[in-house]
Amino acid sequence: MSQTMIQYEGKIAQIVQEDPMLQFLLYAGDNALITGHRCSEWCGHGPILEQDIAISNIALDYIGAARNFYQLAATRIQAKDPSLEVTEDTLAYLRDAWDFKNLLIAELPNGDWAQTTIRVYFISSFQWLFYQQLTQSSDADVAAIAEKTLKEVKYHLRWSREWVIRLGDGTEESAKRLRQALTFLWPFTGEAFKEASYETATSSATTIQLAKLHELWKQELQEVFAEAGLEVPTQQAFQSGGKTGKHTEYLGYILAEMQFLQRAYPGASW
Amino acid sequence: MQWESSEARFQEKIDQEIKIEPKDWMPEKYRQTLIRQISQHAHSECVGMLPEANWITRAPSLRRKAILIAKVQDEAGHGLYLYSAAETLGISRDEMYDQLHSGKAKYSSIFNYPTLTWADMGAIGWLVDGAAIMNQVPLCRTSYGPYARAMVRICKEESFHQRQGFELLLHLSKGNEAQRRMCQDAINRWWWPSIMMFGPTDDASPNTQQSMKWKIKRFTNDELRQKFIDVCAEQVKFLGMTLPDPDLKWNEERGHYDFGTINWEEFWQVIGGNGPCNQQRLDTRKKAWEEGAWVREAAAAYAEKKKARTPVQQIA
């Protein structure tokens, strides 16, 4: 507990740079952390007390998943150089935006309840497929995290799917807000399926085939959107960059807030 | 005559420690007192989420972040049980929200103080939750059944929160100079408001007598306050910190700690709406409620449509 936290720069960054599986772990962890961060912003401000609890619970699941991936990455980094002291918090709190690999869609602002729930829907419907494949990974640690996370994602998907349908088929206003949210988020829904170099390099170990996931995901969307009375947009979802560290302006502010204490009191243990 | 005998039977039950249940006869004033107290307690849980949620996005480690989210979520859960308990007395949750938003119903004044540093998350756990537990443990035996049962569950979680808060402060107290300063500063700011949480002194507490007779309350404000001070005065030593009261000292004769004069002027000001965050807290709750109106309407409309459609689908 009392070890001094060291900087991410230098040796740790170099080890990550040379190991695509570590990059993959950070990608998975960052998606969870940043999505969880956004969901946690609702805590105390939800439209219905029960839903306040639900979205805080989802936030907690995501933070938990992030910790699992970061802890595994930290252990492996340290195994490569036992002189390094690296923990889950080094990875969450001491990297700058360009080293974060989360999908852009995770870092966009919450907006209203429609934008929040359809964002969770987009992310969890992708993750539901992603983690199913990942449970087959030849990397036993990764497969075990995927197994555990999959149970949580199943709930996130059910919850967000229900909200998309409920808002789409609720009142005129809720349907309008949902369409606006869809228009805003749609360009960011393609990035998950664009393979980053570390995904290509690790695909035999992770067993993830993004092209196949993309097909299954489109089917999922067809069904749910039909029930919600939404059209699946035909334009290309062209926004990307997060996976390789090129983010929106929003991420910098998330990190400024999240990392404030670690940055203001370097080396302190909390 | 009949009314008198109902009242007598009611008091007899109370005296025999038999729980009053929702369908039992009860004096109107008993019902009103409980609605006021339980809804005030429920509102305190919900408003109380805000000062702590204020630090979720800034929690300094992932472990602390997870603990804090879980804690604030527990509070929402407590709000939920308590609103449900109050509903058994014939008031709806929406009516209670209206009373909160209009300022008619109160919530614990402690949440009108700001959370300025991370150490406040520890001080709230140790002192605010600690004071709440002192008040709440006797409520597990309160005469109204649904309230007593809700409190049993709440107290278990609250005592967990208190230990987490103390552990957070203990960690800071062993940290660097800035962390120790942060720890002491939080204790200094939260101490007096925490001991005010027990309410006015017994001679200035008009409802206490009747509530004790009905066994809604089991101890007076001053009794509970003294118990809390005695416990904290010892616990603070483990932190290597001090309580901000120069008059605090052990009184051998009384077997209790003596303590300084509470600033009742501040207490009444904060209750009256003039605390540092009264306006902010209430505005935040109202904003969440108003901005959520369309969501609740959509959910209700969808539920209606679904209900109307179900028989048709079954035939098909």
Side-chain angles (χ1 to χ4, degrees):
Chain A
M1 286 296 279
S2 63
Q3 80 265 28
T4 301
M5 213 180 267
I6 57 161
Q7 289 304 307
Y8 175 77
E9 293 302 328
K11 195 73 211 266
I12 301 178
Q14 196 191 327
I15 289 172
V16 171
Q17 191 57 40
E18 288 164 0
D19 184 339
M21 187 48 105
L22 284 174
Q23 292 165 39
F24 178 85
L25 294 176
L26 291 181
Y27 162 61
D30 293 347
N31 271 336
L33 179 62
I34 302 302
T35 309
H37 182 97
R38 284 303 194 201
C39 289
S40 79
E41 290 175 347
W42 274 102
C43 191
H45 307 273
I48 303 168
L49 191 52
E50 286 83 345
Q51 295 305 321
D52 206 306
I53 295 175
I55 197 153
S56 303
N57 202 41
I58 291 170
L60 199 53
D61 285 345
Y62 274 116
I63 303 298
R67 295 184 69 188
N68 289 330
F69 283 112
Y70 290 153
Q71 283 168 8
L72 180 58
T75 308
R76 289 183 177 185
I77 291 167
Q78 209 159 15
K80 294 205 174 189
D81 184 343
S83 74
L84 295 174
E85 287 206 52
V86 49
T87 69
E88 56 177 5
D89 291 329
T90 320
L91 299 172
Y93 287 90
L94 299 179
R95 281 181 301 148
D96 199 349
W98 59 23
D99 284 318
F100 270 76
K101 302 183 193 311
N102 61 278
L103 299 168
L104 298 179
I105 194 169
E107 71 203 40
L108 298 175
N110 280 332
D112 61 10
W113 191 248
Q115 190 171 310
T116 297
T117 51
I118 197 172
R119 184 237 302 269
V120 174
Y121 173 66
F122 282 135
I123 292 176
S124 60
S125 56
F126 159 68
Q127 287 183 329
W128 171 242
L129 301 165
F130 175 85
Y131 284 120
Q132 279 183 68
Q133 284 206 330
L134 204 56
T135 59
Q136 307 303 311
S137 174
S138 60
D139 185 320
D141 296 328
V142 173
I145 297 176
E147 192 79 51
K148 184 176 183 295
T149 312
L150 190 59
K151 290 187 193 121
E152 295 163 355
V153 170
K154 187 179 182 181
Y155 164 71
H156 307 163
L157 176 58
R158 194 181 70 199
W159 177 86
S160 60
R161 203 191 254 155
E162 282 172 5
W163 270 108
V164 168
I165 293 168
R166 191 176 287 130
L167 296 179
D169 193 16
T171 59
E172 220 168 279
E173 172 160 23
S174 68
K176 190 184 88 190
R177 284 174 181 264
L178 188 67
R179 283 195 302 274
Q180 281 168 351
L182 173 61
T183 306
F184 175 67
L185 291 174
W186 182 255
F188 298 90
T189 55
E191 185 184 7
F193 305 102
K194 287 183 191 140
E195 200 164 77
S197 64
Y198 50 84
E199 288 180 290
T200 316
T202 55
S203 65
S204 62
T206 62
T207 76
I208 286 180
Q209 299 165 279
L210 286 178
K212 191 175 156 204
L213 292 195
H214 201 184
E215 287 313 306
L216 293 168
W217 183 76
K218 283 191 240 173
Q219 279 173 31
E220 153 78 30
L221 232 57
Q222 289 289 356
E223 286 168 30
V224 171
F225 276 24
E227 213 178 322
L230 283 176
E231 301 270 344
V232 179
T234 49
Q235 65 267 45
Q236 235 203 319
F238 52 87
Q239 295 288 0
S240 66
K243 280 172 136 176
T244 52
K246 286 192 285 294
H247 289 273
T248 65
E249 290 177 350
Y250 300 112
L251 185 65
Y253 289 95
I254 291 179
L255 298 183
E257 193 173 336
M258 181 167 76
Q259 299 177 340
F260 144 69
L261 280 164
Q262 289 284 356
R263 302 291 189 182
Y265 303 96
S269 156
W270 302 91
Chain B
M1 271 315 278
Q2 204 185 342
W3 181 84
E4 271 180 42
S5 65
S6 300
E7 173 108 34
R9 268 207 308 280
F10 172 82
Q11 189 61 48
E12 210 175 278
K13 267 190 181 166
I14 300 263
D15 294 342
Q16 290 171 6
E17 301 287 337
I18 297 170
K19 291 275 178 270
I20 306 301
E21 295 299 333
K23 289 194 173 127
D24 296 348
W25 185 90
M26 61 186 84
E28 191 49 29
K29 181 131 189 299
Y30 177 84
R31 182 190 302 277
Q32 290 309 328
T33 301
L34 278 169
I35 288 178
R36 181 176 56 82
Q37 185 172 332
I38 302 173
S39 68
Q40 188 171 317
H41 190 168
H43 297 325
S44 301
E45 297 285 354
C46 290
V47 177
M49 293 168 74
L50 300 173
E52 292 181 283
N54 182 37
W55 280 89
I56 288 175
T57 55
R58 290 177 291 171
S61 73
L62 294 179
R63 175 175 163 265
R64 295 286 181 199
K65 191 189 286 287
I67 291 173
L68 187 58
I69 296 174
K71 186 192 170 187
V72 180
Q73 198 194 10
D74 281 348
E75 276 151 21
H78 298 171
L80 214 52
Y81 315 148
L82 289 163
Y83 283 126
S84 304
E87 280 177 323
T88 63
L89 293 158
I91 185 170
S92 72
R93 211 204 290 183
D94 283 4
E95 283 174 88
M96 289 184 266
Y97 282 148
D98 282 345
Q99 292 178 351
L100 172 67
H101 298 154
S102 71
K104 187 181 167 222
K106 299 280 181 222
Y107 54 88
S108 178
S109 273
I110 194 78
F111 302 118
N112 292 319
Y113 290 87
T115 51
L116 302 178
T117 70
W118 172 250
D120 290 10
M121 298 304 98
I124 287 182
W126 176 43
L127 297 173
V128 176
D129 293 333
I133 293 166
M134 279 298 168
N135 266 323
Q136 290 170 2
V137 166
L139 288 175
C140 297
R141 295 191 294 126
T142 196
S143 58
Y144 188 58
Y147 190 25
R149 290 188 288 272
M151 290 316 302
V152 170
R153 214 167 142 181
I154 290 171
C155 282
K156 279 186 194 152
E157 293 179 349
E158 290 292 358
S159 65
F160 190 60
H161 296 164
Q162 194 203 11
R163 285 201 296 276
Q164 285 172 335
F166 191 79
E167 189 268 336
L168 193 159
L169 292 181
L170 191 62
H171 199 86
L172 291 180
S173 74
K174 292 174 180 165
N176 64 31
E177 202 186 328
Q179 289 174 304
R180 289 196 300 276
R181 194 157 65 93
M182 200 183 272
C183 182
Q184 183 64 61
D185 170 71
I187 294 170
N188 291 350
R189 281 182 292 109
W190 289 96
W191 173 248
W192 290 103
S194 296
I195 64 172
M196 289 179 199
M197 281 174 71
F198 296 93
T201 52
D202 293 347
D203 49 22
S205 175
N207 300 320
T208 294
Q209 274 308 322
Q210 182 63 70
S211 287
M212 298 272 286
K213 188 174 170 228
W214 281 335
K215 296 190 182 170
I216 294 175
K217 263 174 114 157
R218 301 256 173 186
F219 300 97
T220 70
N221 296 351
D222 285 334
E223 285 167 346
L224 291 168
R225 182 170 15 246
Q226 181 69 60
K227 205 170 156 198
F228 178 70
I229 290 170
D230 290 347
V231 169
C232 291
E234 291 299 319
Q235 287 176 339
V236 76
K237 295 176 188 168
F238 287 95
L239 296 175
M241 300 282 150
T242 55
L243 295 175
D245 179 356
D247 297 323
L248 186 80
K249 64 172 183 296
W250 179 251
N251 182 327
E252 193 66 53
E253 210 172 301
R254 289 205 309 127
H256 289 293
Y257 275 89
D258 289 337
F259 54 94
T261 314
I262 293 172
N263 182 350
W264 293 111
E265 169 64 15
E266 175 180 327
F267 174 79
W268 293 114
Q269 281 294 329
V270 180
I271 287 201
N274 299 321
C277 300
N278 294 59
Q279 192 67 40
Q280 184 189 342
R281 298 287 185 246
L282 206 53
D283 285 350
T284 305
R285 283 313 317 158
K286 281 199 268 195
K287 183 165 176 276
W289 183 248
E290 282 158 15
E291 289 181 358
W294 70 270
V295 179
R296 295 188 299 276
E297 281 158 21
Y302 176 73
E304 275 303 309
K305 284 188 206 176
K306 214 177 157 189
K307 209 163 75 187
R309 278 198 294 252
T310 309
V312 181
Q313 279 169 354
Q314 275 167 358
I315 293 162

